[in-house]
Amino acid sequence: MPPFPTLDELLATATVVSLPMRVKFRGITERETLLFRGPAGWGEFCPFPEYGDAEASRWLAAAVEAAWHGFPPQLRDTIPVNATVPAVPAARVPEVLERFGRVDAVKVKVAERGQELADDVARVTAVRDALPDAAIRVDANAGWDVPQAVEALGRLSAVGLEYAEQPVPQIDGLAEVRRRLARQGTPVLIAADESVRKEDDPLKVARAGAADLIVVKVAPLGGVRRALDIVAQAGLPAVVSSALDTSVGIRAGLALAAALPELPYACGLGTVRLFASDITHDPLVPDDGAIRVREAVADEGLLERYAAPAERRDWWLDRLRRVHALLQASTAEQLPF
C-alpha cells in the first residue's frame, strides 16, 4: 500500500476557499473547504468547524483516499439524484426546485430551529404541488423528540413520504418512532444518518433494528472503501448523500454510489446546485435527474477568486496539521485503504 502522505505533501498544494451559498443551508451562507491535489486527483477536507479533531480525522482519511489512492471499480456510469430543498419559506420552493431541472425525488429539510411544524407542512406541500409524481423524503437532522416526530410524520405523511431521515437523535429513539408509526398505521420508513456517521460503531443502528435504510456519506465515514464495508455489514438499503461538498467531494460520493451492488434510491448528491459558484468549470450537477460519473478538476482561477481570508486559511491549515498528526498516529488497520 502507498504510504500515508506527509504533512508537507498535503501543504504543498493546500488551498482554502470560501464559497457563497444561494440560500442559507445548515445555518451557513458561506461554505469553507480545504482542497489539495495528489497523484490520483483532488481531495477535499471540509468537516464543519464545530467538529472535533477525532471526528475530522475521518474526513481527512477520505480526502487522502480520493487524492492518493483513487476509487474502487464502478458498476454504473450515471447516478440518479434528488433535489434538496432547504428550510426556506414555502413561497421559495419553486425557485429552489427550478435550479435542479427535472428530478424524480426531492429531499426537504424540516425541524429547523426557530420554525414550527406548520412551516414544514407548508414547505413539503409546496414541493408536492410543484412535483405531483416525485418521491419526497424529509430530513429532520435529529431536530425532534419522539412525540414531536410521531406527530410531525403523521401530518406530513398526508402528502406521501418515501422516508424520513434521522427524525430524532438517538438510536433507541429511532426504534421507538418506528414502533409508534407502525402502531398508528403511518406508512413512513425511517432512515438513519447521524446515527450511522456520528456513532463510534456505525453498525449499531442496524443491529438495533432502528431503521429501514441508512444514509451514507463518504467523508464522515472515512472514505469510499470504508463506506462500502459499512453498507455490506449493515445489510440495509443505502442512500448515498453529500456533506455539502464542492464537486471534488461530490466526485467521491459518485464513486461510492457507482460501486454499490444495489442503488434502490436516488442519491443526495445534487447539492452543488445550492452553491452560487463551484471550484470547477465542469461542476458535478444533475442533468435530467442524474449525474454522469466523471472527474472533478479544480480550476486555479476559481480557487484564487474564492480564496478564503488569511485568518481563515491559517485556521484551516492549523486544523490540517493537528488532524494529520492524529491520523499518522493511527495504526494501518484503522485507515480505510
Side-chain angles (χ1 to χ4, degrees), residues 85-94 115 119 122-123 126:
V85 176
V88 297
R92 293 195 64 189
V93 164
Q115 295 187 8
D119 300 307
R123 186 181 312 113

Side-chain angles (χ1 to χ4, degrees), residues 144-156 167-168 173 177 181 184:
W144 293 316
D145 60 25
V146 170
Q148 289 171 333
V150 173
E151 178 191 1
L153 295 178
R155 290 185 59 182
L156 293 170
V168 296
V177 169
L181 291 177
Q184 70 183 30

Side-chain angles (χ1 to χ4, degrees), residues 46-117:
C46 60
F48 294 100
E50 66 270 21
Y51 290 1
D53 290 350
E55 187 171 358
S57 69
R58 295 193 291 270
W59 297 61
L60 183 56
V64 166
E65 178 191 46
W68 260 259
H69 304 282
F71 301 120
Q74 63 188 58
L75 303 178
R76 52 189 68 85
D77 298 324
T78 59
I79 307 301
V81 298
N82 62 252
T84 299
V85 176
V88 297
R92 293 195 64 189
V93 164
E95 166 199 341
V96 174
L97 289 175
E98 186 178 6
R99 301 189 191 112
F100 290 90
R102 192 198 69 79
V103 291
D104 296 320
V106 182
K107 178 161 80 171
V108 187
K109 291 291 184 177
V110 293
E112 181 83 352
R113 184 174 300 177
Q115 295 187 8
E116 299 179 354
L117 178 55

